[in-house]
Amino acid sequence: MNVLVVNCGSSSLKFQLINSETEAVAAKGLCERIGLDGRLVYQPAGGEKEITEAPMPTHTEAIKMVLDALVNPKTGVLKSLDEVEAIGHRVLHGGSKITQSVIINDEVISVIDECCDLGPLHNPANLMGIRACMELMPGKPNVAVFDTAFHQTMPPKAYRYAIPTKYYEKYAVRKYGFHGTSHSFVSKETIKYLGLDKDNSKVIVCHLGNGASISAVENGKCVDTSMGLTPLEGLIMGTRSGDLDPAVLEFVCKKENIDVKEMVRILNKESGVMALSNGLSSDFRDLEEAMDNGNEAAALAIDAFCYRVAKYVGSYVAAMNGVDAIAFTGGIGENADVVRAKVLSYLGYLGIKMDPEMNKKRGENFVLSTEDSKVKVAVIPTNEELAICRETVELVTAAK
């Protein structure tokens, strides 16, 4: 089955065409500057990147350009669009009403729309992509794979905030968690790769990138995660603050004479390791280079990031009363051996022993703990597009 995987942002659209039987990517690309002048970057498997500048007033025009590229006689990978059998969409927020991936119908569209106030930057764009695909490929099944769905198995003690109940009942204010597609994929791959029993396992997934989150997965189900109502809660990230005293907002707003909206923007866009490094960078490659050259602010940013990760891992060990395996994934988790080493240096009490030579590897599944380590530690590269493809095929096949 050929599955088109679509991930729409407010002014962008990422896509991959995946053959579900071989799980090979036939083509991939990106539409940028939607609503402005428009730019398509398209790359068939084994081929060169092609860049096309053309107006993209809406996501409909962007999707149409993608479809035209896929069937282009010269560099396309399909003879006709009939070869696309299903479309899988990454959708940010399904609230508490949708707890798993679903085939899209009017009811699902209504729920995604209802959740726009919970995901104001993403849900409206996700809807645009869904509607564009439905318009241009009528009759093809569309599947929504939600960032929040994997975390909906959390118990109330994990997802409820200690604020008046009326805010939960009236506005659904609670922890939802994000990066769910990645956490689902990596937790499953970790269990499979390490030969664990899915129904009797305790896994902690550290998805570390510019956006970062951790999940506790017991017997294949999420029981807690670090992000909250929004992706701002939890770990220190590239430009996000993560956890902090809520009173900081009021204090700084008064001192700087700014409103809450501006303060939240600062916490999302001007904080995290970017702030701790005195504005040097949010990219860990830059921070590591600066740290190696004696930059104390860069060293602080990395140390604080790793310390927060280790604290969350420790808390999830307590939440599950143990842990069998810890998996690192995401751009930082997969590639930054310095970060992995620093995080694991806090976890010796768990009987974790790291192999320094193995820790230097990257770009593939590997175990970086020693054979006598009481907890297995692995790097498992995430593949959210493949996860969306798999979910799509499973639902579409079952519906036939």
Side-chain angles (χ1 to χ4, degrees):
M1 181 184 294
N2 286 316
V3 178
L4 179 62
V5 176
V6 177
N7 180 3
C8 285
S10 57
S11 61
S12 66
L13 183 156
K14 296 179 184 177
F15 69 91
Q16 286 191 10
L17 182 70
I18 301 174
N19 182 312
S20 66
E21 294 170 8
T22 63
E23 297 194 337
V25 177
K28 62 182 179 180
L30 169 69
C31 293
E32 300 174 291
R33 297 177 64 81
I34 298 172
L36 299 171
D37 42 5
R39 182 173 186 260
L40 168 66
V41 180
Y42 168 80
Q43 184 174 24
E48 297 294 321
K49 285 183 180 179
E50 298 177 5
I51 298 176
T52 305
E53 309 277 353
M56 296 180 191
T58 71
H59 287 71
T60 301
E61 288 81 12
I63 289 283
K64 188 173 188 312
M65 285 189 65
V66 170
L67 299 180
D68 288 344
L70 291 173
V71 296
N72 183 296
K74 290 184 178 180
T75 56
V77 294
L78 300 174
K79 292 181 180 178
S80 89
L81 292 179
D82 290 337
E83 295 178 50
V84 177
E85 297 173 69
I87 304 101
H89 298 265
R90 182 179 184 179
V91 181
L92 180 80
H93 224 303
S96 56
K97 290 186 178 180
I98 299 181
T99 59
Q100 58 190 0
S101 301
V102 292
I103 293 178
I104 298 170
N105 55 27
D106 290 343
E107 184 180 351
V108 172
I109 288 175
S110 178
V111 171
I112 297 172
D113 193 35
E114 287 175 21
C115 293
C116 281
D117 60 342
L118 294 171
L121 296 179
H122 296 86
N123 273 38
N126 300 152
L127 278 174
M128 291 179 199
I130 290 167
R131 287 173 171 143
C133 287
M134 286 180 159
E135 177 186 338
L136 295 168
M137 289 184 284
K140 300 285 185 182
N142 287 260
V143 170
V145 179
F146 292 86
D147 252 18
T148 53
F150 181 65
H151 304 304
Q152 296 312 298
T153 51
M154 289 187 294
K157 64 182 180 183
Y159 70 69
R160 283 289 299 274
Y161 291 124
I163 59 176
T165 300
K166 63 182 179 181
Y167 301 130
Y168 171 67
E169 293 176 341
K170 290 171 67 176
Y171 310 119
V173 176
R174 51 159 284 183
K175 174 181 284 194
Y176 288 100
F178 300 90
H179 294 143
T181 307
S182 176
H183 285 288
S184 175
F185 178 85
V186 173
S187 61
K188 289 181 176 70
E189 287 294 306
T190 301
I191 290 168
K192 179 181 174 182
Y193 184 65
L194 298 178
L196 303 177
D197 178 0
K198 179 180 77 68
D199 298 318
N200 185 25
S201 59
K202 298 173 181 179
V203 175
I204 294 173
V205 176
C206 301
H207 177 109
L208 308 180
N210 192 52
S213 61
I214 297 182
S215 64
V217 183
E218 189 168 4
N219 303 332
K221 295 183 178 180
C222 178
V223 295
D224 207 344
T225 191
S226 58
M227 285 180 168
L229 174 72
T230 75
L232 186 56
E233 184 181 353
L235 303 178
I236 295 169
M237 304 177 217
T239 61
R240 294 184 188 126
S241 65
D243 295 339
L244 81 170
D245 182 347
V248 168
L249 277 75
E250 181 190 26
F251 183 85
V252 175
C253 283
K254 285 184 175 180
K255 292 291 186 181
E256 294 288 313
N257 193 28
I258 58 176
D259 60 17
V260 172
K261 182 178 180 181
E262 172 62 11
M263 188 66 231
V264 171
R265 187 197 67 78
I266 291 168
L267 294 178
N268 272 293
K269 301 294 186 182
E270 297 181 11
S271 302
V273 295
M274 171 70 84
L276 287 172
S277 66
N278 290 333
L280 173 65
S281 181
S282 61
D283 190 311
F284 270 70
R285 289 167 295 190
D286 298 334
L287 296 176
E288 284 187 33
E289 183 180 356
M291 178 180 69
D292 291 341
N293 289 325
N295 187 308
E296 293 183 3
L300 170 62
I302 292 174
D303 284 345
F305 176 86
C306 296
Y307 179 63
R308 182 74 61 87
V309 171
K311 285 207 299 180
Y312 262 96
V313 170
S315 70
Y316 288 165
V317 173
M320 295 190 294
N321 196 19
V323 63
D324 297 312
I326 298 169
F328 288 94
T329 194
I332 297 168
E334 294 169 25
N335 297 299
D337 58 303
V338 170
V339 168
R340 294 193 297 259
K342 282 181 175 288
V343 170
L344 294 177
S345 71
Y346 290 101
L347 305 177
Y349 70 95
L350 294 174
I352 291 175
K353 297 181 181 179
M354 185 190 75
D355 182 330
E357 288 304 310
M358 288 299 294
N359 188 41
K360 294 177 183 178
K361 293 180 67 176
R362 60 177 63 190
E364 59 181 306
N365 290 355
F366 66 91
V367 176
L368 58 97
S369 53
T370 60
E371 287 189 10
D372 61 341
S373 179
K374 292 183 179 179
V375 176
K376 294 181 179 180
V377 182
V379 170
I380 307 290
T382 191
N383 191 332
E384 292 171 275
E385 289 79 14
L386 179 56
I388 292 170
C389 174
R390 288 175 177 174
E391 297 266 351
T392 300
V393 170
E394 184 177 344
L395 283 168
V396 171
T397 302
K400 287 183 177 179

